[in-house]
Amino acid sequence: MTATLSVHLSFLNMNRLKKLLAIAISSLLLVACGGNGSEPSPTDNAKDREAILTHWVDNIIKPSYANFKTKFDVMAAKSAAFTASPSPATLAEFRSAWQEAYLEWQKVELFEFGPADRQTLRNFFNIYPADVNGIASNINDPAATLDLPASYARQGFPALDYLLFGVGTDEAAVLAFYTNSTEGQKRTAYITRLVSRMNSLLTTVITEWNGTYRETFISKTGLDIGSSFGLVVNAYVLHFERFIRSGKIGIPSGATIASAGVPHPETVEAFYKRDISKQLAINANQAAADFFAGKNVTTGQAGPSFAAYLDALEAKDAGTGTLLSTIINGQFGTIITSLNALSPSLYDQVQTNNQAMLDIYAAMQKQVRLLKVDMTSAMSITITYTDNDGD
């Protein structure tokens, strides 16, 4: 009898213990989830990669392309007017529209993933310096292909830079180039071909973003190599490293390892319209900074972004404890402030005070390390491209 009672009491105590454990576990789960019926904490929301991808598409990528297409369409119309009737007025209007479109291009060039990557849009729009001999060859051969890598520098904005500003020493000489009785028509035809090709490629990219690719992009929420997040991180870091840091500053100033310390001012962007080269660099850096912060193109407000995601991960500098996002944002500010202090012509800047260019390159190199090493490590993203500059 006593033994039976003892076993029964033990059974009751075990049941009571199980109930207490169940209550304790339930309480912990409620606390972890933010309470009964509550929404996830802001930190958890910032980790929602689907929300980030959606914001990028709808509030940054698509409206940025729409803005660029508006400027591009104006350029296309002005180019048609010029090629139909070269004159001081049509040339001036074409030049102005080209400049506005080129400045706006800097705000979309960083989207070299998905549709733009499939069309290799950047390679066909902005490889410089222009291949002057190749352009002359293509003018004389209307059937020359524009699809191969060898043709990259014979088209796009750099080719138009040469064709609008580099074919003569002044306005009269440029107009004479296109009104020449024997060669003028072939030359204007080449401009028409270039602008038409640019329009076709751009339209394809925008159509894909406005079509089914939007949903495909948003659906790939992982962190693996094939994920949208992984693609964007790689494209973003590569763009800043290779096409902003090296292309706009490093190569002209001689700062890159490949340059061996020898400046090459002739490689600046917009070599023939040199007084906009600084503004092109500023626009590109500002676009990179705005994307990092998730700045809505329409409202100007920050949204889901790299910065917010890093904060949600509590990514900090190991030495100071400062948020990594704060350090990266501050470095963008330092770079843009330094760029603003340069000559409007980076060609002239290299010639007169190249040290300022080298200092900006050093600041950009610091940013490369922050983005390529610290940011990607915090996000558990693998860099899949190779750096051929030795950095």
Side-chain angles (χ1 to χ4, degrees):
M1 181 74 176
T2 302
T4 302
L5 178 60
S6 177
V7 170
H8 181 65
L9 289 173
S10 297
F11 180 76
L12 289 175
N13 288 337
M14 288 180 65
N15 278 345
R16 180 177 294 176
L17 181 59
K18 289 179 180 178
K19 289 179 180 179
L20 290 173
L21 286 171
I23 291 170
I25 291 170
S26 296
S27 299
L28 288 172
L29 287 173
L30 285 172
V31 171
C33 294
N36 185 28
S38 67
E39 293 295 323
S41 69
T43 297
D44 290 332
N45 283 340
K47 292 179 184 177
D48 184 352
R49 289 189 293 274
E50 182 176 348
I52 297 173
L53 296 173
T54 302
H55 176 68
W56 282 345
V57 174
D58 293 340
N59 299 319
I60 301 178
I61 297 171
K62 289 173 64 175
S64 293
Y65 272 126
N67 290 344
F68 174 58
K69 186 63 164 64
T70 297
K71 295 289 181 69
F72 180 87
D73 286 347
V74 173
M75 186 191 79
K78 298 302 182 182
S79 73
F82 171 74
T83 55
S85 180
S87 71
T90 57
L91 176 61
E93 290 179 357
F94 185 14
R95 283 174 163 179
S96 177
W98 167 86
Q99 178 173 321
E100 289 300 310
Y102 204 0
L103 289 168
E104 196 70 23
W105 160 255
Q106 305 297 322
K107 303 175 185 179
V108 300
E109 187 173 345
L110 70 162
F111 306 141
E112 193 75 0
F113 46 84
D117 181 50
R118 282 192 288 276
Q119 299 300 320
T120 58
L121 195 66
R122 176 171 48 216
N123 288 346
F124 290 121
F125 268 59
N126 199 32
I127 296 300
Y128 54 90
D131 177 3
V132 172
N133 292 332
I135 291 171
S137 176
N138 282 3
I139 288 174
N140 290 321
D141 180 10
T145 183
L146 294 175
D147 297 328
L148 300 177
S151 72
Y152 289 159
R154 302 178 182 185
Q155 58 192 297
F157 284 110
L160 291 174
D161 175 36
Y162 167 68
L163 292 167
L164 284 171
F165 299 94
V167 295
T169 55
D170 56 23
E171 179 187 271
V174 172
L175 288 172
F177 184 79
Y178 294 106
T179 55
N180 179 282
S181 58
T182 57
E183 303 294 329
Q185 189 171 0
K186 289 192 298 184
R187 294 163 178 171
T188 55
Y190 192 61
I191 289 177
T192 300
R193 185 183 179 196
L194 294 187
V195 175
S196 176
R197 175 169 169 75
M198 292 172 76
N199 182 61
S200 176
L201 292 168
L202 177 61
T203 299
T204 298
V205 170
I206 292 174
T207 298
E208 284 195 47
W209 276 113
N210 289 334
T212 58
Y213 184 72
R214 176 189 179 277
E215 299 304 321
T216 300
F217 179 79
I218 293 172
S219 69
K220 296 181 178 181
T221 59
L223 292 173
D224 56 286
I225 292 175
S227 68
S228 294
F229 210 81
L231 289 176
V232 174
V233 170
N234 271 273
Y236 177 84
V237 176
L238 182 148
H239 176 67
F240 184 84
E241 178 179 19
R242 191 170 298 169
F243 295 94
I244 296 181
R245 182 208 61 169
S246 292
K248 299 180 191 299
I249 303 296
I251 295 173
S253 68
T256 63
I257 292 175
S259 301
V262 179
H264 293 280
E266 73 281 1
T267 64
V268 297
E269 194 171 18
F271 173 73
Y272 299 96
K273 177 60 174 167
R274 297 172 189 172
D275 60 355
I276 67 166
S277 53
K278 178 182 81 170
Q279 194 58 53
L280 292 170
I282 290 173
N283 281 18
N285 277 277
Q286 190 63 59
D290 290 346
F291 189 83
F292 179 80
K295 186 175 179 181
N296 187 307
V297 170
T298 303
T299 67
Q301 299 298 310
S305 61
F306 287 152
Y309 191 71
L310 287 171
D311 289 350
L313 296 173
E314 299 182 355
K316 298 178 181 179
D317 174 68
T320 64
T322 305
L323 286 172
L324 181 57
S325 65
T326 300
I327 297 173
I328 292 173
N329 277 322
Q331 194 64 16
F332 272 125
T334 297
I335 291 167
I336 293 170
T337 297
S338 298
L339 283 170
N340 275 315
L342 298 180
S343 165
S345 165
L346 296 186
Y347 179 91
D348 292 343
Q349 185 66 54
V350 172
Q351 302 277 33
T352 59
N353 180 14
N354 193 41
Q355 186 58 50
M357 293 279 284
L358 296 174
D359 291 344
I360 291 175
Y361 180 86
M364 290 181 169
Q365 179 59 18
K366 179 180 179 180
Q367 188 75 311
V368 167
R369 289 193 294 270
L370 289 168
L371 296 172
K372 190 175 183 179
V373 179
D374 297 0
M375 183 178 82
T376 58
S377 295
M379 292 178 173
S380 300
I381 294 290
T382 300
I383 290 293
T384 58
Y385 70 88
T386 56
D387 175 15
N388 57 10
D389 191 37
D391 299 318

